[in-house]
Amino acid sequence: MPLSKRFTLTQYLIEERRRYPGASGDFNSLILDVALACKGIAKAVAFGELAGIMGNHETEEGGSINVQGETQKKLDVLSNDVFIHRTEWAGNLAGMASEEMEAPYQIPAQYPRGSYLIVFDPLDGSSNIDVNVSVGSIFSVLRAPQDVIDTGRDVVETDFFQPGAKQVAAGYAIYGPTTMLVLSVGNGVVGFTLDPNLGEFMLTHPHIQVPADTHEFAINASNSRFWEAPVKRYVDECLAGKTGPRGKDFNMRWIASMVAEAHRILMRGGVFMYPRDTKDPSKPGRLRLLYEANPIGFIMEQAGGRASTGREAMLQVQPTSLHQRIGLIFGSKNEVERIERYHAEPAQVEISNPLFGKSSLFRD
Ligand code: AHG
Ligand code: MN
Ligand code: MN
């Protein structure tokens, strides 16, 4: 398609807004600011070591551990700053929350406050940055509670505790061989590729759909001894291949950038699992509900895929804390539903009975 005929992100947003004649334009303005933040991060990523942005962030006390108890990279901190400063000024936001900040961020007094909340993971997969593997940014847009809009009061954590189904929009940028922005405003999923000459996101993937079936799965198999029975069963059946109960061979991938796994799955199908496990009883899962599982879940469902905890639809989960972790399974619908069925079926437990040898029984 000739460049002159391609939609830009701005054009796409304006066309979408025409469906809502009363819309103020604040939402579009917010998404464009987020897109500019992503372009800024893409530039920093592209310069890498030349810009001195690789490696761990060191606080004044000499540490580099963030609120999650995880190593914070220089680029985590830089990306968080870029997100804040590109979006705080315009009067579209009532407040924000991020993986890198323990408490919600208040819009500074010199700026007007708006009616949206944004929650983000400014740099996903940041352990990959030093080895030059794709990373990304993830964001979720919520409507602020009415009293926040009416009074302009400071936001508190509970203002963000909205189930994923309430998201107004969600998206991610992936900083890979090309930079892409993938977005859903609740009307399907579209993908834009950053044209480095124009510095514009151009619509290149107008109707992203996740194939319902797949023969590719992604899971960190080093955790297998901590998995719960339904996940073990699913992976065992995949590994058994053609001669197993699935009757087909499966392929496996693990990038350790969830955003990159989500993108692969959107492009060609697959299933991703970072399930609840028994590794650390204080952490029911690895990934975070509000700024990882919910936005990616929204995009998957908008693209015809599915996202789940294994036990319930991800987008129905009522959040209870800002940095809450959760077991996350998403991707091709038929596979995710199969894994949910395995969770719903009573577990088969092997017991040794001295009288009858090995037998099995079922428990809830
Ligand atoms: P983040 O860099 O925002 O902390 O997220 C990293 C996440 C996710 O992107 C990835 O799927 C997972 O951590 C990788 O975990 P392992 O190190 O267990 O592979
Ligand atoms: Mn992340
Ligand atoms: Mn992150």
Side-chain angles (χ1 to χ4, degrees):
M1 182 193 289
L3 187 62
S4 58
K5 291 214 170 137
R6 272 205 194 284
F7 263 41
T8 62
L9 173 62
T10 312
Q11 263 175 297
Y12 172 79
L13 290 170
I14 289 174
E15 293 274 339
E16 282 296 306
R17 199 181 83 194
R18 291 199 177 118
R19 297 191 298 129
Y20 305 95
S24 64
D26 284 7
F27 173 77
N28 285 4
S29 153
L30 171 62
I31 299 294
L32 290 173
D33 283 341
V34 169
L36 188 56
C38 294
K39 287 186 211 174
I41 299 167
K43 251 302 180 255
V45 168
F47 276 90
E49 190 58 37
L50 293 172
I53 47 88
M54 314 290 268
N56 292 352
H57 170 72
E58 292 227 343
T59 61
E60 278 162 20
E61 298 82 47
S64 57
I65 304 295
N66 73 359
V67 290
Q68 313 284 329
E70 286 164 2
T71 305
Q72 208 173 25
K73 298 281 176 188
K74 281 183 196 162
L75 206 60
D76 284 319
V77 178
L78 182 142
S79 305
N80 195 56
D81 284 351
V82 171
F83 254 86
I84 290 173
H85 298 305
R86 282 287 158 222
T87 57
E88 69 181 344
W89 60 276
N92 308 316
L93 286 175
M96 31 182 136
S98 156
E99 178 187 348
E100 304 301 334
M101 299 185 286
E102 190 159 15
Y105 179 85
Q106 308 299 343
I107 302 301
Q110 70 264 35
Y111 302 126
R113 290 184 174 182
S115 51
Y116 293 101
L117 302 173
I118 190 165
V119 197
F120 51 90
D121 175 353
L123 197 70
D124 178 65
S126 57
S127 70
N128 275 328
I129 191 64
D130 292 341
V131 292
N132 204 9
V133 168
S134 296
V135 291
S137 304
I138 310 172
F139 61 93
S140 159
V141 179
L142 297 164
R143 219 173 284 286
Q146 195 57 43
D147 76 297
V148 174
I149 301 171
D150 293 344
T151 62
R153 68 161 167 80
D154 278 4
V155 286
V156 294
E157 288 200 2
T158 49
D159 295 328
F160 294 85
F161 297 174
Q162 304 182 31
K166 291 243 167 119
Q167 291 170 102
V168 177
Y172 65 80
I174 176 166
Y175 314 116
T178 62
T179 291
M180 286 189 69
L181 183 78
V182 172
L183 177 69
S184 176
V185 298
N187 184 27
V189 179
V190 288
F192 303 84
T193 304
L194 183 62
D195 179 328
N197 291 331
L198 297 174
E200 281 285 347
F201 280 113
M202 310 300 287
L203 184 61
T204 45
H205 297 67
H207 301 290
I208 299 178
Q209 280 283 321
V210 184
D213 291 299
T214 183
H215 52 263
E216 205 161 61
F217 68 99
I219 192 163
N220 182 344
S222 73
N223 292 325
S224 61
R225 67 191 182 283
F226 304 114
W227 293 340
E228 295 178 330
V231 172
K232 274 196 181 115
R233 173 183 171 190
Y234 177 78
V235 173
D236 280 350
E237 289 180 2
C238 290
L239 296 177
K242 251 197 191 104
T243 51
R246 300 299 306 273
K248 62 177 181 177
D249 288 338
F250 279 76
N251 195 7
M252 205 208 78
R253 290 283 183 275
W254 189 250
I255 305 172
S257 278
M258 196 258 285
V259 105
E261 321 263 9
H263 193 69
R264 184 190 62 246
I265 289 170
L266 281 176
M267 293 297 114
R268 68 179 190 206
V271 61
F272 172 97
M273 288 163 281
Y274 216 123
R276 189 175 94 174
D277 63 29
T278 58
K279 192 174 185 178
D280 176 350
S282 71
K283 290 181 184 163
R286 162 89 164 84
L287 298 173
R288 278 60 57 108
L289 175 60
L290 286 178
Y291 41 83
E292 291 178 322
N294 273 348
I296 296 298
F298 188 78
I299 288 169
M300 287 294 149
E301 303 246 338
Q302 284 287 325
R306 180 153 177 86
S308 172
T309 65
R311 292 169 173 80
E312 66 179 309
M314 187 59 66
L315 300 185
Q316 302 304 324
V317 174
Q318 174 60 48
T320 53
S321 73
L322 204 55
H323 300 287
Q324 179 175 351
R325 294 175 191 263
I326 198 150
L328 171 60
I329 296 159
F330 67 75
S332 294
K333 199 166 195 276
N334 292 340
E335 292 301 302
V336 177
E337 285 176 353
R338 172 184 289 270
I339 299 166
E340 288 179 307
R341 276 201 309 278
Y342 289 2
H343 279 83
E345 283 171 15
Q348 210 178 350
V349 184
E350 293 233 306
I351 55 158
S352 280
N353 183 315
L355 289 178
F356 307 109
K358 253 188 176 178
S359 67
S360 64
L361 90 171
F362 292 88
R363 68 165 161 76
D364 288 334

